[in-house]
Amino acid sequence: MRQNPARRTALLDAAISVLAGDGSRGLTFRAVDTAAGVPTGTASNYFANRDDLIAQVAQRTRERLTPHESEVASTMRAPLTRELVTLLMHQLLDRLRRDRPTYLAMLELRLEATRRPELRAVLVDVFSQNLRESIKFHLDADLPGDESTVVLLYLAMSGLLIDDLTVPDVLAPYPYDDLIATLVDRVTAAG
């Protein structure tokens, strides 16, 4: 396997674009090569097989959707209130909107995982790690609520994000600012 990290990242980013645009059935080495603008056969030099590519794409989606440390540090200077939790949820929505293809690729991987147990195991690891890190962040920062608060926010925001990025007209009658503020108020009040 080739070891050029920049080329590998470019291929993974191209794979994310293919997944977002063509779905999991369109994800082939040739399609990745085309999307990356590299010679045919390049992707096969970097990934042992399609399963290897998909597993690495799952990790890459996580990297791309993780906020920059400087953004988090700046946000966390605010008082540790429900308003800060609301701001963090808005930042999550904004971040995923800015990188819509990555979130759509992740949704494609989720669907593919319903048919492929080995991919399901990879995604369980990736998403479980995300959730554990979110819980740790929330609790370590002493934000309002507890572990259940974070899980409820995760579940509610996941649903909001899916609709927003796939069928936004469903939620069009409901202002997002109000939805997110109400969600945070009710969930943190219960925690």
Side-chain angles (χ1 to χ4, degrees):
M1 291 289 111
R2 298 288 171 109
Q3 296 301 318
N4 180 336
R7 173 67 58 93
R8 180 180 302 277
T9 299
L11 291 167
L12 290 170
D13 289 343
I16 288 169
S17 294
V18 171
L19 273 170
D22 301 330
S24 64
R25 291 181 189 251
L27 185 64
T28 63
F29 283 159
R30 184 180 297 266
V32 171
D33 290 338
T34 300
V38 298
T40 300
T42 301
S44 64
N45 289 324
Y46 283 83
F47 309 100
N49 52 45
R50 188 172 182 272
D51 288 342
D52 181 35
L53 171 63
I54 288 173
Q56 290 189 45
V57 164
Q59 289 297 330
R60 180 67 180 144
T61 61
R62 184 176 187 283
E63 291 169 11
R64 284 179 51 161
L65 295 176
T66 299
H68 295 284
E69 287 182 26
S70 61
E71 177 185 349
V72 174
S74 175
T75 299
M76 295 307 292
R77 289 188 192 114
L80 304 175
T81 62
R82 287 182 183 171
E83 289 75 21
L84 176 57
V85 177
T86 301
L87 175 61
L88 290 166
M89 296 303 106
H90 277 288
Q91 288 177 343
L92 171 65
L93 177 61
D94 292 343
R95 191 168 53 255
L96 271 57
R97 282 176 170 169
R98 283 192 310 269
D99 196 355
R100 185 175 184 266
T102 298
Y103 194 76
L104 293 177
M106 197 167 42
L107 290 176
E108 286 290 339
L109 291 176
R110 283 177 180 259
L111 292 173
E112 181 77 9
T114 65
R115 297 177 288 277
R116 300 187 47 226
E118 65 281 359
L119 177 57
R120 185 176 312 120
V122 169
L123 292 185
V124 165
D125 287 345
V126 169
F127 296 136
S128 294
Q129 183 177 359
N130 285 350
L131 184 56
R132 282 191 307 272
E133 288 177 5
S134 294
I135 291 167
K136 182 176 180 351
F137 173 82
H138 193 98
L139 297 178
D140 288 355
D142 203 26
L143 290 165
D146 57 14
E147 183 174 344
S148 293
T149 300
V150 181
V151 174
L152 290 171
L153 287 170
Y154 168 82
L155 293 170
M157 288 300 294
S158 293
L160 184 144
L161 291 163
I162 289 170
D163 278 4
D164 182 69
L165 296 174
T166 60
V167 286
D169 292 342
V170 169
L171 295 177
Y174 309 98
Y176 281 91
D177 288 346
D178 294 345
L179 285 175
I180 292 172
T182 302
L183 167 67
V184 170
D185 282 346
R186 290 185 182 175
V187 171
T188 56

